């Protein structure tokens, strides 16, 4: 017959597994939203853009479910140290994924405006999906690191944010140059700049997830670890 302690440990492990499953589910929906929003942008597919906007409610609903589970776990299991860090990290990561979903939804909202009848097609529309791919890859890698409690993988996600920032800077310069040379495209370019900025923010949020994963796995802040490596080199 199992002791009360063994029962509590097993119940806590089940709760943690459920938290991870909810995070994984949210992350999968957010990642798909990025892909679909960029596909809608590239094709001018307003129906797909509408689906992205509607599906955002699913992400919000899962976040609400996860919040309730976290409150229950803390109240009933009273987790300590490593366990508490993981529970709190799951709560924070869920909030970040919800924001990532919002950014994808915001991109989808711009699709009808960017593809308004009579607007000249801008080359950056075909470049932006590559930036979207990089942003989505960062989200997936950060969530994989959370699932595996992999501090090293989390640090690699954090380091990859520079590439996305460089992508944004390049697209920003391209779009501004195009706008100056073709003043009639100012409105369309403004929407595309908004899309690029949202993708850059998705990368920032993936980086935030990576930082939380690193802390949950090690008990140390990633910035402190990087500072230590720099001073030691």
């Amino acid at each position: 017959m199992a002791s009360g302690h063994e029962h509590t440990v097993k119940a806590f492990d089940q709760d943690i597994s459920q938290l991870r499953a909810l995070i994984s589910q949210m992350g999968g929906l957010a990642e798909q939203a990025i892909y679909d929003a960029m596909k809608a942008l590239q094709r001018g597919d307003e129906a797909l853009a509408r689906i992205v906007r509607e599906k955002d409610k699913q992400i919000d609903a899962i976040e609400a479910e996860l919040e309730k589970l976290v409150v229950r776990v803390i109240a009933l299991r009273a987790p300590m140290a490593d366990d508490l860090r993981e529970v709190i990290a799951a709560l924070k990561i869920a909030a970040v994924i919800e924001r990532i979903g919002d950014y994808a939804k915001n991109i989808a909202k711009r699709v009808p405006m960017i593809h308004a009848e009579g607007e000249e097609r801008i080359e950056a529309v075909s470049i932006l999906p590559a930036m979207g791919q990089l942003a989505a890859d960062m989200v997936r890698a950060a969530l994989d690191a959370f699932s595996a409690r992999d501090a090293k993988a989390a640090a690699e996600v954090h380091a990859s944010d520079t590439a996305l920032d460089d992508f944004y800077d390049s697209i920003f310069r391209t779009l501004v140059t195009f706008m100056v040379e073709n003043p009639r495209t100012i409105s369309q370019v403004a929407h595309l700049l908004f899309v690029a900025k949202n993708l850059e923010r998705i990368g920032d949020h993936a980086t935030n997830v990576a930082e939380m994963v690193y802390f949950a796995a090690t008990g140390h802040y990633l910035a402190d670890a990087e500072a230590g490596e720099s001073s030691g080199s």
Side-chain angles (χ1 to χ4, degrees):
M1 184 175 179
S3 69
H5 175 71
E6 288 172 345
H7 176 75
T8 301
V9 169
K10 183 178 180 181
F12 179 78
D13 287 344
Q14 290 173 342
D15 288 337
I16 289 294
S17 294
Q18 188 178 352
L19 281 175
R20 288 180 176 175
L22 289 172
I23 290 288
S24 178
Q25 192 179 355
M26 280 186 77
L29 287 169
E31 188 182 339
Q32 189 63 48
I34 299 168
Y35 285 131
D36 288 345
M38 298 312 297
K39 188 187 296 181
L41 175 67
Q42 196 171 23
R43 298 177 179 176
D45 189 336
E46 294 186 25
L48 181 57
R50 189 161 51 250
I51 290 171
V52 173
R53 298 198 304 271
E54 291 170 353
K55 280 191 173 181
D56 185 61
K57 295 173 185 174
Q58 294 180 24
I59 298 176
D60 294 344
I62 297 169
E63 183 193 16
E65 183 181 349
L66 184 140
E67 287 176 351
K68 291 177 184 175
L69 178 58
V70 166
V71 170
R72 194 182 78 209
V73 168
I74 292 175
L76 297 181
R77 316 296 181 207
M80 302 292 288
D82 292 1
D83 292 335
L84 181 60
R85 283 205 308 272
E86 179 156 8
V87 172
I88 297 302
L91 181 63
K92 290 183 175 180
I93 289 170
V96 173
I97 297 173
E98 190 273 335
R99 288 296 300 135
I100 289 172
D102 284 346
Y103 285 123
K105 179 178 67 175
N106 290 343
I107 291 171
K109 284 180 178 178
R110 299 282 167 148
V111 170
M113 306 170 194
I114 291 170
H115 289 273
E117 187 176 351
E119 291 279 18
E120 180 179 346
R121 181 173 175 81
I122 299 174
E123 183 58 32
V125 172
S126 60
I127 300 172
L128 277 167
M131 185 179 179
Q133 177 74 52
L134 179 56
D137 287 347
M138 286 179 66
V139 172
R140 188 193 316 112
L143 294 173
D144 285 348
F146 172 73
S147 180
R149 285 182 68 94
D150 189 335
K152 183 174 181 290
E156 289 171 357
V157 173
H158 190 270
S160 68
D161 189 49
T162 302
L164 194 68
D165 289 342
D166 290 343
F167 221 133
Y168 173 74
D169 291 341
S170 176
I171 288 176
F172 181 87
R173 288 193 297 270
T174 299
L175 285 172
V176 169
T177 299
F178 188 90
M179 182 172 60
V180 170
E181 294 174 353
N182 304 272
R184 66 185 178 280
T185 66
I186 287 175
S187 175
Q188 192 181 17
V189 168
H191 292 310
L192 290 171
L193 285 171
F194 176 88
V195 170
K197 187 62 181 177
N198 273 257
L199 291 174
E200 192 257 346
R201 292 295 295 139
I202 287 173
D204 288 344
H205 279 62
T207 300
N208 290 343
V209 170
E211 290 171 351
M212 294 172 203
V213 170
Y214 189 92
F215 180 74
T218 68
H220 300 288
Y221 291 105
L222 183 53
D224 294 342
E226 289 175 340
E229 289 175 4
S230 299
S231 61
S233 59

